[in-house]
Amino acid sequence: MPYAKIVGTGSYLPPRVVSNDELAAELATRNVQTSDEWIVTRTGIRQRHLADPGVKTSTMAVLSAREAMQNAGIGTDEIDLIVVATSTPDFIFPSTACLVQAELGVMQGAAFDVQAVCSGFIYALTAAEALIRVGRAKTALVIGAEVFSGILDWSDRSTCVLFGDGAGTVVLKASDEPGIIGAQLNADGRQKDILYAAGNVSCGKVVGDPFLRMDGQAVFKLAVNALAQSAKDVCAEAGVALKDIDWLVPHQANVRILNFLSKKLHIPLEKVIVTLDKHANTSAASVPLALDVAWRDGRIKAGDLVMMQGVGGGFTWGSVLARM
Ligand code: ACO
């Protein structure tokens, strides 16, 4: 059975960078009070990239995919699977993955979306890995892409300061050498009410509340415990010690969650990739964006053991262990 190996990464961030101060000034014009000081101390976020109105998830996904394909040195004729993790698809259907396939000019293979909010990339990577391992695909684009700014209520300061837009892609290829060596997915639908965007489209109208709503403290408590347990479980299953992890690439939601994880798992902060200060929380895009940053700046090297982790609405969470 072949392994599935990450052979290239790519990312795309919208060019408009909005600092906390700029956001606070903009929100003040709507009578919403916040500050750089509050946002930095509570979350670690200093700025976010925001897509201009009309920019679609598929557009950002394609730009990150092109960069990843170039980085991996693969052409469109080799790709036989595209999985896009997103909670902000362009349309109800067709899937964003099909739009990406058409835009890239890929003429073969399967394409589908995965919806697991901020765990979406970990779910998508695990699905693609499974298809490669059983021989149903050979070369996959696994993409996390979001225009979360489109589902934010800009009058709700407890959520609108936390998120940004972006896309990240990995190229996953069948390989004789490892590869992804462990994966673990979880969900607890009973926690559906702590993080949700509950609107839908019916009879031509948006029905219900289309904006993201969150019980921040409940999410925080569940997230830290879920991520810590998942890290232990995936390592135990793969027969790897936590101390052998070279890099932890967790979902980027709150620096306090990352500090807690680092302490609880005894993984020093120097081994934790942190991009949320620059990107904020980009939901399904956050892990591939962080991986791409650390791969390109040379911190993550070939042969390193990387643990990627997601946690988000659903409630969903999971971990993937990859030998780079
Ligand atoms: N600026 C200024 N004040 C604010 C802001 C803001 N942007 N937002 C909230 N406040 C105020 C509140 O009104 C409250 O004021 P009060 O005490 O007068 O009532 C005070 O700050 C404290 O609010 P809390 O909600 O208790 O703040 P907390 O320390 O819990 O931090 C936060 C909130 C940052 C949201 C935190 O709970 C958190 O990060 N939770 C995890 C969120 C997360 O991980 N989300 C992503 C999940 S992944 C996904 O699927 C999307």
Side-chain angles (χ1 to χ4, degrees), residues 23 27 32-39 41-45 87 116-120 148 151 156-163 194-196 212-221 223 251-257 281-284 310-316:
L23 184 62
L27 292 177
V32 177
Q33 306 307 323
T34 188
S35 65
D36 175 60
E37 199 264 333
W38 191 95
I39 301 170
T41 22
R42 300 285 177 136
T43 71
I45 295 165
S87 299
V117 203
C118 300
S119 313
F148 246 53
I151 57 166
D156 175 7
R157 67 180 181 173
S158 69
T159 54
C160 72
V161 302
L162 303 175
F163 296 92
I194 62 171
L195 183 54
Y196 57 90
L212 177 148
R213 305 292 174 197
M214 179 172 74
D215 177 344
Q217 288 185 1
V219 170
F220 194 103
K221 274 185 213 142
H251 173 50
Q252 309 282 314
N254 188 316
V255 78
R256 290 186 289 145
I257 294 178
N281 181 347
T282 56
S283 187
V311 60
F315 208 67
T316 55

Side-chain angles (χ1 to χ4, degrees), residues 46-66:
R46 293 182 182 276
Q47 62 173 47
R48 72 282 298 136
H49 292 248
L50 294 179
D52 286 331
V55 173
K56 299 267 198 264
T57 294
S58 67
T59 309
M60 298 198 302
V62 164
L63 291 167
S64 73
R66 286 207 180 108

Side-chain angles (χ1 to χ4, degrees), residues 22-222:
E22 286 167 323
L23 184 62
E26 161 64 22
L27 292 177
T29 66
R30 305 169 191 226
N31 233 3
V32 177
Q33 306 307 323
T34 188
S35 65
D36 175 60
E37 199 264 333
W38 191 95
I39 301 170
V40 171
T41 22
R42 300 285 177 136
T43 71
I45 295 165
R46 293 182 182 276
Q47 62 173 47
R48 72 282 298 136
H49 292 248
L50 294 179
D52 286 331
V55 173
K56 299 267 198 264
T57 294
S58 67
T59 309
M60 298 198 302
V62 164
L63 291 167
S64 73
R66 286 207 180 108
E67 197 177 88
M69 287 162 65
Q70 196 178 26
N71 183 242
I74 61 145
T76 48
D77 54 334
E78 290 173 72
I79 296 161
D80 55 7
L81 176 63
I82 299 174
V83 189
V84 175
T86 187
S87 299
T88 48
D90 291 18
F91 304 133
I92 296 171
F93 67 83
S95 68
T96 304
C98 285
L99 304 177
V100 169
Q101 190 204 42
E103 189 61 30
L104 288 175
V106 174
M107 310 288 272
Q108 63 287 321
F112 62 92
D113 285 2
V114 164
Q115 217 291 35
V117 203
C118 300
S119 313
F121 179 77
I122 298 300
Y123 269 63
L125 194 56
T126 304
E129 186 239 2
L131 289 169
I132 287 176
R133 283 193 64 113
V134 297
R136 304 238 185 275
K138 286 197 167 55
T139 308
L141 294 178
V142 185
I143 304 172
E146 305 276 17
V147 188
F148 246 53
S149 56
I151 57 166
L152 297 177
D153 175 356
W154 295 98
S155 67
D156 175 7
R157 67 180 181 173
S158 69
T159 54
C160 72
V161 302
L162 303 175
F163 296 92
D165 302 325
T169 297
V170 302
V171 180
L172 200 61
K173 212 170 173 6
S175 164
D176 291 334
E177 23 167 290
I180 289 176
I181 58 166
Q184 211 248 355
L185 300 178
N186 305 276
D188 181 355
R190 290 168 303 174
Q191 306 297 337
K192 63 188 185 325
D193 296 330
I194 62 171
L195 183 54
Y196 57 90
N200 73 8
V201 175
S202 179
C203 303
K205 289 192 189 122
V206 175
V207 180
D209 176 3
F211 295 124
L212 177 148
R213 305 292 174 197
M214 179 172 74
D215 177 344
Q217 288 185 1
V219 170
F220 194 103
K221 274 185 213 142
L222 271 177

